[in-house]
Amino acid sequence: MRDILFKTEDFVFSYRIAGVLVREGKALLQRSGGDYAFIGGHVSAMETSAETLVREFKEELGADIAVGRLLAVGEVFFPWGEKPCHQIGLYYEVRLPDGSRIPPDGVFHGYDELGGERIGLDFCWVPLSELEHIPLYPPQMAAHILSGSKELLHFVYKEM
């Protein structure tokens, strides 16, 4: 199937799903360069957002997950190379089943593929107390997670 990611001469549109995995006071994040983000990826055509999360965690980490409640919906605007990108992002709570193969601490390596290009990623457990002090994308998610709110968050983030 094809990812719901459209590139025109003028802009890029992206439909991305991410999972918020918290265990023992730490969040599992992906890091590329110096920036951190929640693990996820683009929805494929005819795929539900929950199916996307299950697939992405399996592809990137070799891990099975259980998808929980929807935490946030983001309208995100940022530069994608030389073009502006308009991204719709859904952020879900996720859990690991017993016996998960994900290392319980530290940094471990993986990769993602985007547009046929392989991108190296570091996966790392970051203490919740540090979320507001690292370059986390999108930044609104740190305060929402730390607040413990059960309300669905809708946010607009403009990096341009």
Side-chain angles (χ1 to χ4, degrees), residues 20-88:
V20 177
L21 175 56
V22 175
R23 181 170 68 183
E24 298 178 9
K26 297 177 184 173
L28 184 61
L29 303 175
Q30 67 183 37
R31 181 176 62 202
S32 179
D35 295 328
Y36 294 82
F38 293 98
I39 298 164
H42 292 100
V43 177
S44 289
M46 308 312 296
E47 182 177 58
T48 69
S49 54
E51 290 168 341
T52 298
L53 266 184
V54 169
R55 176 179 53 78
E56 288 289 340
F57 270 76
K58 192 66 156 177
E59 287 175 359
E60 294 178 11
L61 297 166
D64 293 318
I65 59 164
V67 179
R69 68 185 176 88
L70 180 63
L71 299 172
V73 176
E75 299 177 61
V76 183
F77 301 85
F78 63 96
W80 184 299
E82 300 294 317
K83 298 178 183 179
C85 180
H86 180 166
Q87 182 177 84
I88 301 300

Side-chain angles (χ1 to χ4, degrees), residues 3 5 7 42 80 112-119:
D3 284 349
L5 174 65
K7 298 177 182 178
H42 292 100
W80 184 299
D112 193 8
E113 289 191 23
L114 184 59
E117 181 182 343
R118 189 174 172 146
I119 301 164

